[in-house]
């Protein structure tokens, strides 16, 4: 029976080899009795019998087949030669060990990144950042990877910035009253506007953190920030005059010089804090709501959150290091 099992799985040996170390920790005896590379990679000593080992083999093979299928899906887009494909397999499996994430989960995440337009090598950088965010404990790999990919694409950033983006998203969740899933599902609405105006992801995260702490839900927060940005792109007559009075040709020029928060603070100050005058500058009710949520008495907190986001580098790794001490991850 052992010989038949080994023979049946010879064709998937390149995949199952990646699972070797975890299986070998359970036993090597049965593996040797099954024979060869497959036996070593997949043998499980359960009760010391070959029949029980065959059950363990079935589970391991299911994992291997699922992983291989997902990776083949990746390669249907990446179109790597077989040698490069196997090297990519190894990188994904190694990441799984490091981050404590199932290989198939990583492979599925890799498919999403590659299908969004990134080459396989760059996609691995993004996947690594997403896996680290998942390990840090505030989200799962798929959610983090999807959010990071969306930001990179919106700002036309390279995969080398994946860690920086992950840190900014992670810090937004840390500082604000929003979870990663809420952030990931809503932030895409504002990214094209932020990118157009040159408002970086740290500034967007800072504004989200401030407004969610004021009790505004994630979806409405993003809607208001988008409305504010829209007003700067296509300003009202009063806002155009106010921008010119501050010495800038356009809303975009003002934001480029002062940043989003700095521009709002300057405009608020120019009105003397008069809400009626602010309403004339921002006639859209949601834009006005967003502007007021970040200025006046809220300005101090908004600027503090902006500083916290500017110092977000390393936030994900730091949290992941702490989570690595937890019983759940050690187990």
């Amino acid at each position: 029976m052992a010989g038949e099992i080994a023979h049946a799985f010879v064709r998937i040996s390149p995949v199952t080899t990646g699972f070797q170390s975890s299986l070998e920790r359970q036993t090597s005896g049965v593996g040797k009795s099954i024979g060869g590379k497959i036996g070593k990679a997949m043998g499980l000593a359960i009760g010391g019998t070959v029949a029980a080992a065959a059950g363990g083999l079935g589970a391991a093979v299911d994992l291997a087949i699922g992983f291989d299928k997902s990776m083949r899906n990746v390669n249907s887009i990446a179109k790597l030669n077989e040698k490069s494909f196997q090297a990519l397999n190894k990188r994904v499996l190694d990441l799984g060990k490091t981050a404590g994430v199932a290989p198939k989960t990583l492979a599925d995440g890799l498919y999403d990144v590659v299908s969004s337009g990134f080459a396989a090598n760059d996609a691995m950088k993004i996947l690594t950042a997403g896996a680290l965010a998942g390990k840090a404990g505030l989200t799962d790999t798929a959610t983090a990877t999807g959010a990071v990919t969306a930001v990179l694409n919106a700002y036309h950033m390279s995969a080398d910035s994946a860690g920086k983006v992950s840190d900014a998203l992670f810090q937004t969740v840390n500082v604000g009253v929003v979870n990663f899933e809420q952030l990931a599902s809503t932030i895409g609405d504002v990214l094209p506007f932020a990118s157009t105006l040159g408002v970086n992801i740290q500034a967007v995260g800072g504004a989200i953190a401030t407004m969610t702490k004021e009790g505004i839900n994630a979806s409405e927060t993003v809607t208001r920030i988008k409305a504010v940005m829209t007003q700067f792109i296509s300003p009202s007559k009063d806002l155009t005059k106010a921008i010119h009075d501050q010495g800038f040709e356009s809303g975009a020029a003002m934001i480029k010089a002062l940043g989003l928060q700095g521009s709002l603070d300057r405009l608020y100050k120019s009105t003397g804090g008069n809400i009626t005058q602010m309403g004339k500058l921002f006639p859209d009710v949601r834009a006005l709501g967003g502007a007021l949520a970040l200025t006046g008495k809220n300005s101090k907190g908004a600027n503090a959150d902006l500083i916290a986001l500017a110092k977000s580098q390393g936030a994900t790794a730091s949290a992941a290091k702490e989570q690595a001490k937890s019983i759940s991850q050690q187990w």
Side-chain angles (χ1 to χ4, degrees):
M1 179 178 179
E4 293 174 356
I5 294 171
H7 177 73
F9 300 129
V10 164
R11 70 183 188 87
I12 62 167
S13 61
V15 178
T16 58
T17 304
F19 296 90
Q20 176 177 331
S21 59
S22 61
L23 298 177
E24 283 186 315
R25 282 196 295 272
Q26 296 178 63
T27 183
S28 60
V30 173
K32 291 178 180 178
S33 71
I34 294 176
K37 183 176 182 181
I38 298 302
K40 183 178 180 182
M42 304 191 64
L44 291 174
I46 303 174
T49 67
V50 173
L57 281 169
V61 168
D62 285 344
L63 291 173
I65 291 174
F67 173 69
D68 182 58
K69 182 177 180 180
S70 292
M71 287 301 295
R72 291 294 173 182
N73 287 339
V74 170
N75 207 37
S76 68
I77 300 173
K79 300 189 183 304
L80 302 174
N81 61 45
E82 194 63 21
K83 182 178 180 180
S84 296
F85 174 69
Q86 293 303 333
L88 182 64
N89 276 359
K90 184 178 185 304
R91 291 177 67 187
V92 174
L93 290 169
D94 288 344
L95 177 59
K97 295 174 187 176
T98 301
V101 180
K104 186 181 184 303
T105 298
L106 292 176
D108 290 339
L110 186 62
Y111 176 84
D112 291 338
V113 180
V114 172
S115 64
S116 72
F118 287 93
N121 187 54
D122 288 337
M124 278 302 302
K125 297 175 184 177
I126 299 170
L127 184 66
T128 299
L132 184 62
K135 185 176 182 180
L138 293 184
T139 187
D140 56 71
T141 300
T143 301
T145 301
V148 171
T149 303
V151 173
L152 292 175
N153 279 326
Y155 285 96
H156 304 286
M157 300 164 71
S158 74
D160 291 332
S161 297
K164 186 177 180 180
V165 169
S166 175
D167 285 341
L169 296 173
F170 195 88
Q171 191 79 324
T172 301
V173 174
N174 276 341
V175 177
V177 183
V178 56
N179 62 45
F180 215 110
E181 286 70 23
Q182 292 168 339
L183 181 63
S185 65
T186 58
I187 197 170
D189 289 342
V190 76
L191 292 178
F193 299 88
S195 176
T196 297
L197 287 170
V199 180
N200 64 31
I201 187 60
Q202 289 79 9
V204 172
I208 291 173
T210 300
M211 292 173 66
T212 54
K213 284 193 291 188
E214 294 170 14
I216 307 170
N217 66 47
S219 179
E220 180 63 20
T221 289
V222 169
T223 297
R224 292 189 187 189
I225 295 172
K226 180 176 71 173
V228 169
M229 292 181 180
T230 300
Q231 297 276 273
F232 275 102
I233 294 171
S234 300
S236 65
K237 182 178 179 180
D238 288 300
L239 181 55
T240 298
K241 183 178 184 304
I243 291 170
H244 289 167
D245 287 346
Q246 293 301 315
F248 300 100
E249 293 183 0
S250 65
M254 188 176 191
I255 286 179
K256 183 177 180 180
L258 304 177
L260 177 63
Q261 184 62 42
S263 297
L264 289 172
D265 284 337
R266 180 77 69 88
L267 290 169
Y268 183 86
K269 185 178 180 180
S270 74
T271 68
N274 186 293
I275 296 178
T276 301
Q277 291 301 314
M278 284 292 287
K280 290 181 180 179
L281 301 185
F282 297 95
D284 179 275
V285 65
R286 282 179 163 167
L288 177 61
L292 294 177
L294 296 170
T295 56
K297 293 180 180 179
N298 300 318
S299 176
K300 183 177 180 180
N303 279 284
D305 291 338
L306 193 59
I307 291 172
L309 265 292
K311 296 179 178 179
S312 62
Q313 186 171 355
T316 311
S318 178
K321 184 177 180 180
E322 184 62 27
Q323 285 292 336
K325 302 174 186 176
S326 68
I327 293 174
S328 63
Q329 288 209 15
Q330 291 187 37
W331 180 260

